[in-house]
Amino acid sequence: MTLLLLAGTAEARAIATALQGQGVIASLAGATRDPAPLPVPVHTGGFGSEAGFREFLTQHAVHAVLDATHPFAARITQRSAMICADLGLPFCQLLRPPWVAGPGDDWTEIASEDKAAEHIPQGATVFLGTGRQTLDGFANLTGRRVICRQIDAPEGPFPFDGGEFLIGRPPFSVADEIALFRRLGVDWLVVKNAGGQASATKLVAARDLRIPVLMIARPALGDWYQVASVEAALAWVARL
C-alpha cells in the first residue's frame, strides 16, 4: 500500500516517523523554504492544480490519503477530500482540537483577518502570530505598529505601512515569548486557532502579561472522515 501523507505539521512528522519504511510518501506545500527533513520520501511544492493532484495519485499508485496539514489549509483539504471521494480513495483528515480559553484568558473570536481593526485601537503594538500567507488581510491596521513573525527571511518589504517582520523558528518557550512581548511592548496578540501544545506558549505568555488576544476562527468543518490525534490517525492507517 502507498499512503500519501499531506504534511507540514508536528503531527505529520510524528506519523511519518511511526510509518517510515511502510510505503509512505509525504507532501510539503513549500510554505517554508528550509523545512526539517522527514524520514520518508518527500514531494515538495504542492501539485499545482486539481489535475496535477489526480496525476500524482495515479502515477504513484496511491491507495489512501492522510491529510495532516495545518487546520487553516482549507483549500488543500477540501480539494484533496473531493478528489479522493471522486476516485474512491480512503481519505482522513487529522484535525487537532482547537484552543479553548481558560481562566485569565482575554480572547475575542473574529471571523477573518480584516476584522482585527474593529477591535485594536490606533497606536497599539500588534503581534501577528498568523504567518505571512494571510498578511494582506491586515492591511487595514493603519495607525498601529504591526509585527509579523515568520520562519523565513522576507523576500520583499512589508506589504503595508507601519509593519515589520520578525524572524524566528519555533519552538518558543513561554519564557521566550514573555521576554519578547515585553521587549516589543506588545498590546495585542492576533493568532489563528490552530490548536496544539507547541504553539500555545504565546497564549500562555499573553495570559501572564494580561495581553488581549484576537482569535481567528477556524474554517468550517467538512463532512469527510476526521480524527483528532496522531494515535487515531495511525489506527486509521492500520485498518486500511
Side-chain angles (χ1 to χ4, degrees):
M1 183 189 75
T2 299
L3 174 73
L4 176 61
L5 173 64
L6 304 180
T9 60
E11 290 83 1
R13 180 171 303 283
I15 291 168
T17 300
L19 297 178
Q20 57 184 310
Q22 300 184 43
V24 176
I25 303 173
S27 171
L28 291 171
T32 302
R33 291 178 209 154
D34 187 24
L38 291 170
V40 297
V42 176
H43 169 81
T44 302
F47 306 100
S49 64
E50 178 181 330
F53 186 55
R54 288 177 181 270
E55 182 180 0
F56 184 92
L57 295 174
T58 300
Q59 285 184 346
H60 292 83
V62 171
H63 293 84
V65 176
L66 176 54
D67 179 355
T69 56
H70 193 277
F72 280 76
R75 286 189 298 177
I76 293 174
T77 298
Q78 290 168 0
R79 182 183 70 180
S80 302
M82 178 194 70
I83 292 174
C84 285
D86 186 48
L87 297 177
L89 296 177
F91 175 85
C92 174
Q93 180 190 17
L94 169 52
L95 185 63
R96 67 175 83 121
W99 291 313
V100 178
D105 288 321
D106 180 8
W107 297 5
T108 301
E109 185 175 87
I110 58 176
S112 58
E113 289 79 4
D114 63 330
K115 301 300 183 183
E118 299 175 9
H119 301 271
I120 300 174
Q122 295 281 321
T125 295
V126 184
F127 188 91
L128 301 182
T130 53
R132 72 177 186 276
Q133 291 184 319
T134 56
L135 186 53
D136 288 343
F138 296 102
N140 62 351
L141 284 176
T142 54
R144 294 88 167 169
R145 179 191 179 198
V146 178
I147 303 164
C148 176
R149 182 164 64 190
Q150 61 181 45
I151 294 175
D152 298 315
E155 296 179 340
F158 207 84
F160 52 88
D161 291 339
E164 59 193 84
F165 289 113
L166 176 71
I167 308 305
R169 182 176 289 271
F172 307 104
S173 69
V174 173
D176 290 337
E177 298 290 59
I178 288 176
L180 177 66
F181 291 171
R182 281 176 171 162
R183 177 170 61 82
L184 296 174
V186 172
D187 300 307
W188 285 81
L189 172 65
V190 184
V191 298
K192 297 176 179 177
N193 196 338
Q197 293 183 346
S199 55
T201 54
K202 55 183 172 287
L203 297 173
V204 178
R207 180 175 63 225
D208 289 351
L209 295 174
R210 300 185 181 276
I211 295 172
V213 176
L214 291 184
M215 184 69 67
I216 301 175
R218 286 186 173 186
L221 295 175
D223 58 359
W224 45 80
Y225 188 73
Q226 294 170 336
V227 296
S229 68
V230 170
E231 293 75 17
L234 291 173
W236 176 80
V237 172
R239 295 193 298 267
L240 293 174

